[in-house]
Amino acid sequence: MANPNLQDIIEKQVLTVAKAVEDKIDEEISALDRLDLDDIEALRERRLQQMKRMAEKRSRWISLGHGEYTEIPSEKDFFSAVKASDRVVCHFYRDNWPCKVMDKHMSILAKQHIETRFVKIHAEKSPFLADKLKIAVLPTLALIKNAKVDDYVVGFDELGGTDEFNTEDMEERLAKAQVIFFEGESSSKSSAQTRSVRQSESNDSSDSD
């Protein structure tokens, strides 16, 4: 049987929290009540302008190739891409299994983070670039902001040292580098997307060698 004194304390705490929540709601209602029609119209106009600016940004991002994971055909095109977009994730790859794993995750994140451009370039066919950026291990992601390489993800060491990491693990790593926008809840948490790539590969014979 519960201690009566403890029960009283819990009930008082619950009442205190409930009162605080009620006061907060009353405060917000009062603030809304104090708004006149001009204030409401100003808020509406500001919100519309924000939505318009975001729509314009999205349109520009899409025109630059955001929203898709694409291959850059040449070193010259790499420089054009990083100058055009504020945030770029570039996968330096070759034709091997680890790079195919990375491709899967990049394809998912490109669709979810339209604010960032996701691309790949064949490291062995880009010797000048690979040497300039000191690319030694494949796969390597170059995380580029404002036309400058700001960070790298080299291999899978930061992702548990295994190719069975989840897309959300990669998403959180990119968010830490501030190369994608991230609100704290992974946008890739649906069960189909958080499966490891090895699991999805075993169910997708079209991608197997």
Side-chain angles (χ1 to χ4, degrees):
M1 184 173 179
N3 187 319
N5 291 333
L6 179 60
Q7 181 124 7
D8 287 343
I9 292 170
I10 292 172
E11 286 178 0
K12 286 179 182 177
Q13 288 177 337
V14 170
L15 287 172
T16 300
V17 171
K19 182 68 167 59
V21 171
E22 186 178 347
D23 289 345
K24 180 66 175 174
I25 292 171
D26 287 343
E27 182 183 328
E28 291 176 356
I29 291 172
S30 296
L32 288 173
D33 288 341
R34 288 194 297 270
L35 291 176
D36 57 27
L37 289 176
D38 288 341
D39 292 328
I40 293 171
E41 184 59 31
L43 286 172
R44 179 176 174 276
E45 181 62 27
R46 188 165 63 189
R47 179 60 178 154
L48 286 173
Q49 289 300 320
Q50 289 172 341
M51 292 171 66
K52 182 181 177 182
R53 285 195 296 271
M54 180 51 68
E56 289 171 350
K57 274 187 178 182
R58 288 178 66 87
S59 178
R60 179 176 178 274
W61 288 335
I62 290 170
S63 72
L64 292 172
H66 293 223
E68 296 183 81
Y69 177 50
T70 54
E71 180 155 8
I72 293 177
S74 71
E75 293 177 320
K76 180 181 177 182
D77 293 307
F78 169 86
F79 291 106
S80 298
V82 300
K83 287 177 182 176
S85 298
D86 292 337
R87 293 165 298 277
V88 179
V89 175
C90 183
H91 172 203
F92 284 83
Y93 83 99
R94 67 180 171 208
D95 296 322
N96 63 14
W97 165 256
C99 291
K100 288 181 180 180
V101 170
M102 191 65 80
D103 282 339
K104 290 272 190 175
H105 294 294
M106 293 296 98
S107 294
I108 292 169
L109 291 173
K111 293 179 177 66
Q112 294 171 343
H113 290 278
I114 193 172
E115 73 277 6
T116 300
R117 186 160 184 204
F118 287 79
V119 296
K120 62 191 252 186
I121 188 167
H122 200 295
E124 293 171 349
K125 295 178 182 178
S126 311
F128 170 78
L129 203 52
D131 181 64
K132 181 178 176 64
L133 299 181
K134 297 179 171 54
I135 305 296
V137 175
L138 300 176
T140 286
L141 301 182
L143 312 184
I144 303 158
K145 294 189 292 186
N146 300 314
K148 295 181 180 179
V149 178
D150 187 68
D151 199 357
Y152 294 93
V153 179
V154 180
F156 301 147
D157 287 349
E158 295 181 68
L159 302 162
T162 172
D163 61 13
E164 296 187 3
F165 64 91
N166 293 326
T167 302
E168 64 185 23
D169 297 329
M170 175 60 75
E171 184 177 33
E172 288 172 8
R173 174 63 182 86
L174 298 183
K176 183 180 177 182
Q178 299 182 333
V179 76
I180 60 173
F181 298 158
F182 190 66
E183 297 298 331
E185 277 296 322
S186 172
S187 62
S188 58
K189 279 194 173 182
S190 67
S191 60
Q193 291 165 337
T194 56
R195 292 180 306 164
S196 71
V197 170
R198 184 177 289 280
Q199 287 172 310
S200 65
E201 190 78 9
S202 66
N203 294 324
D204 187 357
S205 59
S206 65
D207 286 336
S208 62
D209 289 333

